[in-house]
Each structure stands twice: as structure tokens, then as C-alpha cells.
Amino acid sequence: MAHLFKLIVTLLCLGLQCGLGQAAAVDLESASSSSSSEATRDWWQVAQFYQIYPRSFKDSNGDGIGDLQGIISKLDYLKDLGVTATWLSPIYTSPMADFGYDIADFFDIQAEYGTLKDFDELIAAANERGLKIILDFVPNHSSDENVWFEKSVRREKGYEDYYVWHDGYLNATTGQREPPSNWLQAFRGSAWEWNEQRAQYYLHQFAVKQPDLNYRNPAVVAQMKRVLTYWLDRGVAGFRIDAVPWCFEVVPDAQGRYPDEPLSGYTDDPDDSSYLKHIYTQDLPETVDMVYQWRQLLDDHKRIHGGDTRVLMVETYSGLDYVMEFYGNRTTKGAQIPFNFQFIVGGEGDKNNTQLNAVGFVKIINSWLSQMPAGQTANWVMGNHDQRRVGSRYGEDRIDLMNMLQMFLPGVSITYQGEELGMTDLDISWEDTRDPAACNSNENIYEQFTRDPARTPFQWSSEQNAGFSSNSTTWLPINPNYLTVNVETESAANTSHLKLYKLLVQLRQSKTLQYGATRCAAVNDNVVAIKRSLSGQPTYVLVANVLGTSVSGVDVASVLYASGSYKITLLNPQAQAAVGDSVTLSSLSLPPYAALIVESV
Ligand code: GLC
């Protein structure tokens, strides 16, 4: 039996298919992280990033809505957590049709959240603690309440083509006016809206109140660069760029026609955006070039004003070939962090990945590492404000395991607020639903679209409203599990998601995890094994049983070439062992969902 297992392992190491499908062990030494040496590694390459959703982080003035002073009051929490930089979902003036992703004034702060003075105070308070602030940059659209749109509606000089306008067509049979093309918005229904005053349709690839800016107009390109410069001048360390694939659309033909998009065949629901293949409205090459121009602007800002490298994070759920282009090419630099959403979109068949086995996990990991261009840095995003929470997708038993994976893998780690506590989704009634993606549907189907469950207020303590707000109500309801899932309780407990998270962040500072090579394998359907090694430093191995069945006699040592003695450094409670215990990597027994990080001795 032992011989047979060894043979299988050998075949796996040779990368051959042999019953365990994708289970091949893969060395990722060259692809796993930047080729830069330890001495030249830039701050962001070893950073711990943390996403704040300001509306739900901390309310300082008792109106039930989070705000900037709330964030300032919790900077010490972030510092204590080991965070290097935090990216904030939009804080700009907005009618909140899409909770800040509909910007009425790109140069000011939403009054509910505070003022520019509060913002400057936030930057200063963050700087004092060595924390960096990154803002969400929403280039694709503005609010229809933005003065640019109002001027465009009135065809004011210089603003006529700020947005994408079209007459549409008169249907000769019905006499009715019809939109210029069949394009659909991300939030259900036509992407074209008739504007009475201008007597034309405008394009909105998101909600009706989010008109698309026209990137074919150089004045728009220049204006958005002014936005970047304005916030860089106020001290931000970079930007997360929103909804990037949508920036450019195809140019109309000689008759001024926009082409219809073909049917995708994925759904019969003609209002659902996935009804069409978005070949004319998403993933255009011009968009990649635009991101390169923004990178140039950030680098120029640093050259002129000094300070640390400013970073760009790109939000795109596109195919990996397109995503990888954002890193840049031989001659031009792109974004340092095109978000790696493989743990969100990379499952097979099972949208929530609740049943994902070890082979599936390794496939997800390798998909990024094997396609990333040489010399770039990987990043790992497990969730964000648009997705179900990790514990509600992968299962609550795998919360620690997912945090362990995220911190153990090479490159940048990005945590959405509350994942360090193991916060989970809250089912929200139709009456309490606020997200336009859900409100644009109906009471029967809204749960397929809603993003509210992952946006509930942060759980600070077991006090009223989880210590988030002193108001009697909060903008979204609080998850009742706050009584146990909160910072205060988890800090006081002997073991908790939060305590493990902090230890993981500390371990991530080790030279091995920051600069070491990576070898990753699915040993069988249950067990993911990853080795991180660096000459002259301790070797670490992560072993995780990702399924709900126990396994025994598992040989992790052979597949990872991890000989020698190991002891446990960190573990989840399911592992039923203790820090310091010796482990035999050639014959491991693992209870369901057990995850261990062991260190060579
Ligand atoms: C991005 C944001 C999402 C928003 C959309 C439109 O996907 O993350 O929250 O609704 O862009 O701006």
C-alpha cells in the first residue's frame, strides 16, 4: 500500500493524471511572487490589506450609519490586527443609490460620513500609526446628480459628450422609440435610459442613477486624472479602481449604430445581465491602456512629491487572460494588484464552493500562480462587500482554514472587514433590503441578487447594536450572532477566529512566508498541503483537511519533499491538537476541517 501511494505521489510530481485529477504537486518558486529580492521588496508586496465598508464600520455620531470619525476611532484596532493599508469603499458625496458607487461630487465627502477636514484628520491619524489609506476610485460612472451630468443634459459647452448619448430608434410599426442597442445593465434591465430634457438615451451599465462616463472624450479622461491627483495631493497611498472592465464601450459604426450583443445561453431571463455576452461593453483593450495611464500618473506623483510607492488595485471579474494584462507588459507598468478573485469565482459548478475538495482548492491556487506574468506579485481576495461572506460560502467550519490559506500563500493578502471575526451573512427581509441590485428585482427573487447580507454593521462588542452605533436602529440590521461573534468577546476568549487571525498576520511577517518558495499539492480529495521554504530559515507546511470526513495515514512529506521533524505552530480548533505538538508528516491523521501550520525543527 505504501509503495502504491509512493508511486501515485511520484506520478503526481511528474504532473501526470492518475485518478486524483488536478492533484499534481506544483512548484511555484518562480511564479509565486515577485522576483525582486528581499532588499528590493516594496512595502505593498508584503502588506496586509484590509477593506473597510465605511457605512458599516463604526458610527461615531449615533445616526446608525458608519462615518470617518468612526474609522479614526478604530485605527488602533487595525494597527493591533497587523494591517498595513486599508482601502475604503467610496466616501464621496453621493445620493447613495448604490451606496457611494454613484458619486455626485468626486472632490468632496458625503455629509453623513464627515467632511474634508475629517478626511485630512484620518490621513494624519493613519500616518501617525504607520497605516496607509487607499480610496475607491469609481471611473466608469458618476451619479445623475453630478453637476457634470446636469451640464451634459443641458448640452453645456464642453460637457455635451461627457456621457454616452444616443437618439435610439423609432419603431416604424409601433411608432415607439426604442433604445440604441440590446445592452443590459448589471442591475437588471436595459442599460439605456431615456432623458426627457435632452431627448436622448444615456448609457448606464449599472443603475439608472449611474450614467456611464464617455472615455472616448479626452476631457473626461483628463477630468478623471484630476480626481486622482486631487486625492493623491491629500495623502492617499493609492486606489482600488472600481468596475474597471466597463470603462470603454465599442465605438458606433459609420451610421452611428451600436451593435447588439449576442445571447450567452446562460439564462432565459432577458433582464439578467448574464443573458448577453458582453463583447462590446466589457474587457476592451482601451481599458487596459487607461489603467496603464493611471499607473503612470501615480508614479509621476511619487517622483515629484516623494514618499512611498502609490498602488493601484483593479476590480475585474473577467477571464484570467484579460485580468493578467492589468499587471502591465514588457514596456509599460500596470496595476500592482489586479484583484485575484479565483477563490470567489473559481469553483466548479458549486457557486458557493461549500463542497470544494482539495483538488478544487489547488486548482484555484494554481490558476493564478501559473498564469501570473513573471516578476509580478500574487494577491489573495477571499471576499468583499459584493460577495457572500467566506463562512457563508465555504462553510463556517472552514472560516479559520480560509484565513490560514490566505495568509500562508505567497504575496499580498486582502481581508474584507469582519472576516477576521468570522462574521457570516444575515438573511435580510425584502422590507429591509437596500441594495439596488436586489431592489431592481422583486420580492420573490431578490435573494439571488442582494449584497446586503455581507454588508451588515461590524460587530465590535456584545453591547447594544454590537457596539457599532448608539442609535436605536442601524441602516442595515445587525446580525444577531454579534453576541458571540465580536471583537470584545473574541479578544477575551482563549481561542477565537480573531486570535488566530492575529497570529497568522504575525507569522506572515516571517522571512519564509514573505520571501520563500511555494510548493502546493492536493494529496488526496481531502488534503491540501503547501510548503513554504527559504534557505537559512525554518520551513513551514500548511496541511488542511478541507472536507467533512476524517483521514488517516496521509503522507504529506513525500509529495512536498518535506523530510525531517515538524512541530505545530498554529492550528484551528478542529485539528484537536496543541501548539508545540510534534507531527509526522509522512503519516498524518486529520479530523474533518482540521488545519495545521507546522514548522521544521
Ligand atoms: C463595483 C462595486 C459594486 C458597485 C459596482 C458599481 O462592482 O464593488 O459595489 O455596485 O461596482 O459601481
Side-chain angles (χ1 to χ4, degrees), residues 1 5 8-9 12 18-25 356-362 520-529 543-547 549-556 559 588-590:
M1 183 64 197
F5 192 60
I8 292 173
V9 166
L12 292 178
C18 56
L20 293 179
Q22 294 289 325
L356 194 72
N357 68 11
V359 176
F361 271 88
V362 171
C520 180
V523 185
N524 52 33
D525 277 351
N526 282 62
V527 179
V528 175
V543 191
N545 178 3
V546 298
L547 296 180
T549 50
S550 41
V551 286
S552 59
V554 178
D555 181 4
V556 170
V559 75
L588 266 180
S589 293
L590 295 168

Side-chain angles (χ1 to χ4, degrees), residues 196-241:
E196 276 302 337
Q197 196 178 340
R198 179 156 160 155
Q200 274 191 313
Y201 286 96
Y202 66 87
L203 179 69
H204 60 93
Q205 300 212 61
F206 290 87
V208 169
K209 285 184 69 63
Q210 291 168 294
D212 264 51
L213 286 155
N214 176 13
Y215 274 80
R216 305 276 173 198
N217 179 349
V220 169
V221 172
Q223 179 68 275
M224 296 316 277
K225 287 183 178 171
R226 269 196 288 280
V227 171
L228 292 174
T229 303
Y230 175 83
W231 294 104
L232 287 168
D233 287 347
R234 287 197 108 98
V236 305
F239 301 91
R240 174 264 189 191
I241 320 176

Side-chain angles (χ1 to χ4, degrees), residues 98 101 138 141 187 206 210 240 242-243 315 317 385-386 451 455:
D98 188 18
Y101 287 96
V138 187
H141 43 265
F187 297 152
F206 290 87
Q210 291 168 294
R240 174 264 189 191
D242 179 75
E315 188 214 22
Y317 290 89
H385 65 293
D386 294 327
R451 298 170 295 177
R455 296 177 176 181

Side-chain angles (χ1 to χ4, degrees), residues 105-395:
D105 186 347
F106 282 79
F107 302 98
D108 207 349
I109 303 289
Q110 169 73 352
E112 289 167 321
Y113 295 165
T115 61
L116 282 168
K117 192 168 155 288
D118 293 318
F119 180 79
D120 293 342
E121 199 182 319
L122 170 66
I123 294 282
N127 284 345
E128 267 169 35
R129 291 163 176 81
L131 291 167
K132 294 183 189 294
I133 301 290
I134 292 171
L135 288 187
D136 210 326
F137 173 52
V138 187
N140 179 65
H141 43 265
S142 73
S143 163
D144 63 345
E145 296 180 33
N146 193 302
V147 67
W148 306 334
F149 186 72
E150 289 164 359
K151 289 182 184 206
S152 199
V153 167
R154 294 194 295 265
R155 296 178 197 259
E156 275 188 32
K157 192 163 161 26
Y159 291 88
E160 302 94 325
D161 299 323
Y162 241 63
Y163 295 82
V164 183
W165 294 101
H166 199 282
D167 294 336
Y169 301 99
L170 267 186
N171 181 320
T173 319
T174 63
Q176 297 286 310
R177 191 169 285 279
E178 289 176 356
S181 68
N182 70 344
W183 298 354
L184 292 168
Q185 55 159 310
F187 297 152
R188 297 181 65 76
S190 173
W192 296 101
E193 180 75 5
W194 181 253
N195 180 276
E196 276 302 337
Q197 196 178 340
R198 179 156 160 155
Q200 274 191 313
Y201 286 96
Y202 66 87
L203 179 69
H204 60 93
Q205 300 212 61
F206 290 87
V208 169
K209 285 184 69 63
Q210 291 168 294
D212 264 51
L213 286 155
N214 176 13
Y215 274 80
R216 305 276 173 198
N217 179 349
V220 169
V221 172
Q223 179 68 275
M224 296 316 277
K225 287 183 178 171
R226 269 196 288 280
V227 171
L228 292 174
T229 303
Y230 175 83
W231 294 104
L232 287 168
D233 287 347
R234 287 197 108 98
V236 305
F239 301 91
R240 174 264 189 191
I241 320 176
D242 179 75
V244 172
W246 282 267
C247 284
F248 279 85
E249 299 78 36
V250 73
V251 279
D253 67 14
Q255 285 71 46
R257 284 187 172 266
Y258 286 111
D260 279 348
E261 290 189 323
L263 302 193
S264 68
Y266 296 147
T267 170
D268 294 336
D269 179 352
D271 284 336
D272 191 313
S273 99
S274 66
Y275 187 66
L276 300 176
K277 268 196 205 157
H278 303 296
I279 57 172
Y280 299 124
T281 54
Q282 288 184 40
D283 299 352
L284 269 65
E286 293 90 329
T287 304
V288 177
D289 180 67
M290 196 68 252
V291 170
Y292 295 176
Q293 291 186 36
W294 292 330
R295 170 66 190 269
Q296 182 68 49
L297 185 149
L298 263 63
D299 285 354
D300 288 347
H301 197 275
K302 176 187 160 162
R303 204 166 30 77
I304 295 162
H305 300 276
D308 293 336
T309 301
R310 315 323 188 235
V311 292
L312 286 181
M313 307 167 124
V314 167
E315 188 214 22
T316 159
Y317 290 89
S318 313
L320 275 183
D321 286 350
Y322 187 69
V323 176
M324 293 299 171
E325 287 185 37
F326 287 103
Y327 271 123
N329 58 35
R330 277 176 204 287
T331 53
T332 317
K333 287 182 179 169
Q336 294 94 335
I337 306 176
F339 281 143
N340 171 2
F341 288 145
Q342 291 304 296
F343 274 105
I344 296 170
V345 297
E348 281 168 348
D350 169 20
K351 191 165 151 261
N352 288 331
N353 286 332
T354 44
Q355 304 302 321
L356 194 72
N357 68 11
V359 176
F361 271 88
V362 171
K363 203 171 165 190
I364 282 178
I365 294 166
N366 289 348
S367 64
W368 190 271
L369 294 180
S370 60
Q371 287 205 52
M372 186 175 70
Q376 300 294 350
T377 300
N379 71 85
W380 307 95
V381 184
M382 299 298 183
N384 58 43
H385 65 293
D386 294 327
Q387 308 298 334
R388 295 304 169 124
R389 282 198 174 272
V390 174
S392 302
R393 280 186 282 128
Y394 280 85

